[in-house]
Amino acid sequence: MVKHQPLQVYERQLCLSCLTGIYGCRWKRYQRSHDDTTKWEFLWSVILFFTFSLLLVWFYFWWEAHNDYNEFNWFLYNRSGEWSDGTIPILASTAAGFTYIAFLMILALCHIAVGQQLNLHWLHKIGVSAALLTTAIGFISVNQTWGEEWAVIPISLQATGPFLHLGALVAVTALAWLVAGQVARAEKTRFQVVVLLLYLSVLLGLYLVPLSITSPCIMDHTHLTPRPDIIGHQGAPMLAPENTVLSFQRALQMNVSGLEADVAISFDGVPFLMRDRDLRRTTDVGKLFPDRQREDASFFNWTDLHSLNAGQWFLKDDPFWTVRSMSQREVRLVGNQSVCSLEQLLRLASSQNRTVVFNLRRPPPEHPRYHSWINDTLEVVRLSGIPQHLVMWTPDWDRGQVRLVAPGLQQTSVVKRPPQALHQQGISRLLLRYSQANPHDIREFSRSNLSVTLYTVNEPWLFSVLWCSGVSSVSSEAPNILKKVPYPIWLMSPDEYCLIWVAADVISFTVVIGIFVFQNYHMIRWRMSGMRSYNPEQIMLSAAVRRSSRDVNIMKEKLIFSGQSQ
């Protein structure tokens, strides 16, 4: 009579076949091995782990860089001349690559857990090599073309650091099960010591990581400064075409404290709002002036500029994926927008008693207004009727002359300098990129009576970090999003964070000790009993905790026959 294997044994063999088959194409039982992993395969395991770590950093970078996706796309447009969302292929390939490498990592850990020899299939080796190569190329490309964006990682860690630490602690604590099994099965004492020391070093490092974690959001609640003012950068460009009257009206509906725009000077001396050097991206210049579409926007006169449509591109490109949620009325409004003049912006801001910030771009040397561009702009400010204290003046040219003509303007610097040097130049405000000022800088400027505005802040986590840092205002392309952040995303006192830190370490250490004791129970029991009731085969069998292998089966047979002979 044939004795059938229990169902659970069959299921285990099936899972083992899938595990070794997917990882190394070893689907048959005779192809599997419990022998030690070869040095070559060990090297590939190291390469796999390194690729996973690299992709993890790459994935985290692009996840946190979401705040600057529009900046990245604009950068690509300036290099290629064609507008497209360049983040989509990057995010898609990153997600696919990370998922694939993470899956292989899980399979490798499962191999180690069940005592199977690591033998990565050659197709997977090609896949790992391709992922490693493309990720390395990505790092190099970003470093050469968008290097300033790396600053988002240390800034984001101020928001995510405590939670990433807890996640890493959970993961390494869970790995104790695998490490304890390896120690229990190992025959060489040196290997056991090396594995234990390596694991305990990593664990101890994680226990002490909070000593290096700094975040402005770890503070007493009573020290939190008032909510930063929000300035609509180019209005509300997620809701309407940038630098148009409709965009600024949408921003005012979000209760912004000010409006920011990019200003150029037309051929006939009219300051108008335009971010790009030419008109191709945000107007229909290719339709009305096909021979001039690559020409500098400042060489158009105001009549020609005002005749261009500045809204249809927004409906076509949908740069922020918001058009589909618009009503028919809103679509008509967007499609009928035209180029906005600085005077229109100033009058709109004045009517709502809002601050205006504009970045003034000097026209080319051959432009007729090359020497008079400052005076042309000041004249428009004067004629608009806006109170001078509502205008933040950023150009560094002829500041002395500007102060004589318009002494009430808020002199604003876009260059970070020591407070004393700024006061000597009559500067009262700073307009900097969010990566140019750390919490210490912000506090120092605040003590020196210098207001700091940081741009471009679109994500709630970044807004929360800067709020806790004490910044007075931020410039944002997403006032509609930041409006929904009435309080920092998280805020805890140092005592609360210390309590969480210590509790997490104690729980982790207790779990690790419990896992090691449980995994090595039979070995501990044997050593405490003084070897009185165990023969050599029993000792070897007990040391191989839950390991179903050919060697264990042989030991079982020896144990059975030794019992029969007695």
Side-chain angles (χ1 to χ4, degrees):
M1 182 177 179
V2 180
K3 191 173 182 179
H4 295 285
Q5 287 184 324
L7 180 61
Q8 60 182 3
V9 175
Y10 172 76
E11 291 177 348
R12 186 181 185 281
Q13 290 297 327
L14 179 62
C15 292
L16 192 60
S17 296
C18 291
L19 177 65
T20 57
I22 296 173
Y23 187 81
C25 202
R26 293 176 296 168
W27 299 95
K28 303 297 183 180
R29 187 173 182 178
Y30 68 87
Q31 294 176 314
R32 300 195 288 269
S33 173
H34 290 285
D35 295 337
D36 293 338
T37 300
T38 64
K39 293 181 179 179
W40 174 248
E41 290 299 330
F42 179 78
L43 176 61
W44 272 106
S45 300
V46 173
I47 294 174
L48 176 62
F49 176 75
F50 178 74
T51 304
F52 173 77
S53 303
L54 203 63
L55 265 171
L56 186 62
V57 175
W58 180 252
F59 183 85
Y60 179 80
F61 167 76
W62 281 103
W63 182 269
E64 298 300 337
H66 186 269
N67 182 82
D68 302 314
Y69 281 178
N70 189 51
E71 176 186 312
F72 177 73
N73 290 331
W74 188 68
F75 169 78
L76 292 180
Y77 168 77
N78 286 332
R79 290 176 65 93
S80 65
E82 297 293 333
W83 177 266
S84 63
D85 194 342
T87 61
I88 292 179
I90 293 176
L91 293 175
S93 59
T94 298
F98 181 76
T99 302
Y100 171 65
I101 297 300
F103 180 63
L104 290 182
M105 276 292 299
I106 294 173
L107 291 178
L109 292 175
C110 291
H111 272 69
I112 296 173
V114 299
Q116 285 291 320
Q117 184 187 52
L118 291 170
N119 187 15
L120 188 64
H121 193 261
W122 64 270
L123 282 176
H124 289 318
K125 291 175 181 176
I126 293 176
V128 171
S129 301
L132 178 59
L133 181 62
T134 54
T135 306
I137 292 174
F139 270 92
I140 295 172
S141 299
V142 169
N143 193 57
Q144 291 179 346
T145 59
W146 204 29
E148 65 178 5
E149 189 62 20
W150 289 120
V152 76
I153 292 181
I155 295 173
S156 68
L157 288 176
Q158 296 177 19
T160 62
F163 308 101
L164 290 179
H165 166 250
L166 291 177
L169 193 60
V170 170
V172 174
T173 301
L175 282 177
W177 185 269
L178 188 150
V179 174
Q182 287 295 299
V183 171
R185 289 193 294 265
E187 298 178 3
K188 297 181 180 179
T189 304
R190 179 179 298 177
F191 177 79
Q192 292 176 320
V193 172
V194 170
V195 171
L196 272 176
L197 287 179
L198 183 62
Y199 177 75
L200 292 177
S201 298
V202 174
L203 194 62
L204 180 62
L206 277 176
Y207 287 163
L208 299 178
V209 158
L211 292 175
S212 63
I213 293 178
T214 58
S215 172
C217 295
I218 301 177
M219 61 183 297
D220 290 328
H221 296 66
T222 56
H223 295 163
L224 183 65
T225 57
R227 187 175 187 269
D229 294 330
I230 298 174
I231 297 174
H233 181 62
Q234 304 176 80
M238 290 187 177
L239 306 178
E242 63 185 56
N243 285 325
T244 60
V245 172
L246 181 61
S247 181
F248 295 118
Q249 289 173 342
R250 291 285 185 265
L252 292 173
Q253 292 172 0
M254 300 296 124
N255 295 322
V256 297
S257 64
L259 302 171
E260 182 181 359
D262 305 285
V263 180
I265 308 294
S266 71
F267 196 77
D268 50 352
V270 177
F272 66 98
L273 312 186
M274 184 61 56
R275 183 183 188 185
D276 301 350
R277 280 285 179 182
D278 58 47
L279 302 166
R280 289 177 298 155
R281 181 174 68 91
T282 58
T283 71
D284 60 347
V285 65
K287 178 181 178 181
L288 298 184
F289 306 99
D291 298 333
R292 304 179 62 190
Q293 55 182 324
R294 292 185 179 274
E295 191 174 332
D296 193 299
S298 61
F299 283 101
F300 287 76
N301 61 47
W302 174 243
T303 302
D304 292 340
L305 288 168
H306 197 58
S307 68
L308 296 172
N309 183 289
Q312 287 296 329
W313 73 273
F314 186 85
L315 300 175
K316 177 185 176 183
D317 295 338
D318 195 6
F320 295 98
W321 306 80
T322 54
V323 172
R324 66 189 66 183
S325 62
M326 292 182 177
S327 65
Q328 289 297 321
R329 178 180 175 276
E330 290 174 326
V331 169
R332 287 194 298 270
L333 282 174
V334 168
N336 291 326
Q337 293 303 299
S338 59
V339 177
C340 181
S341 68
L342 176 60
E343 184 177 1
Q344 289 176 285
L345 171 62
L346 294 174
R347 292 187 183 278
L348 178 62
S350 179
S351 67
Q352 301 293 323
N353 197 33
R354 296 294 190 267
T355 301
V356 174
V357 189
F358 53 86
N359 303 298
L360 187 58
R361 184 171 70 243
R362 190 173 190 176
E366 60 272 20
H367 195 279
R369 302 290 175 167
Y370 178 72
H371 297 288
S372 63
W373 63 300
I374 293 290
N375 291 330
D376 292 337
T377 307
L378 284 174
E379 183 65 14
V380 169
V381 172
R382 187 183 66 82
L383 293 176
S384 68
I386 187 172
Q388 292 185 6
H389 71 274
L390 292 180
V391 178
M392 293 171 58
W393 184 265
T394 61
D396 271 333
W397 291 273
D398 297 329
R399 279 197 186 271
Q401 183 65 27
V402 170
R403 280 196 293 268
L404 290 176
V405 176
L409 298 179
Q410 297 187 59
Q411 294 296 325
T412 306
S413 176
V414 294
V415 179
K416 182 180 175 182
R417 299 188 182 97
Q420 185 178 0
L422 294 172
H423 282 306
Q424 289 175 353
Q425 297 176 3
I427 304 296
S428 60
R429 299 186 68 108
L430 278 168
L431 178 64
L432 304 172
R433 194 176 191 270
Y434 68 84
S435 59
Q436 292 180 293
N438 56 43
H440 177 266
D441 294 331
I442 294 172
R443 288 192 295 269
E444 183 179 357
F445 287 130
S446 178
R447 286 193 295 266
S448 301
N449 294 321
L450 290 167
S451 298
V452 179
T453 300
L454 299 181
Y455 67 90
T456 305
V457 180
N458 300 326
E459 290 295 308
W461 71 262
L462 181 56
F463 181 66
S464 299
V465 168
L466 297 178
W467 184 349
C468 295
S469 300
V471 72
S472 58
S473 60
V474 300
S475 176
S476 175
E477 296 171 338
N480 52 310
I481 294 177
L482 300 188
K483 180 184 178 182
K484 303 174 184 178
V485 186
Y487 199 73
I489 293 178
W490 67 271
L491 184 68
M492 67 177 74
S493 68
D495 291 339
E496 291 172 334
Y497 180 60
C498 186
L499 179 62
I500 294 173
W501 168 25
V502 173
D505 286 357
V506 170
I507 293 173
S508 169
F509 185 74
T510 304
V511 171
V512 169
I513 294 298
I515 289 174
F516 270 84
V517 170
F518 180 77
Q519 286 273 37
N520 294 271
Y521 169 74
H522 295 289
M523 184 62 70
I524 295 172
R525 181 182 175 187
W526 163 66
R527 288 179 176 174
M528 293 182 63
S529 65
M531 300 175 59
R532 287 191 298 269
S533 59
Y534 286 81
N535 60 37
E537 286 80 6
Q538 287 175 309
I539 295 172
M540 293 288 291
L541 181 60
S542 298
V545 180
R546 284 172 299 281
R547 178 179 174 182
S548 179
S549 66
R550 176 175 170 273
D551 296 336
V552 174
N553 290 333
I554 292 174
M555 285 188 284
K556 286 180 179 179
E557 293 174 0
K558 288 183 179 180
L559 186 60
I560 292 172
F561 286 124
S562 64
Q564 290 177 350
S565 61
Q566 293 174 0

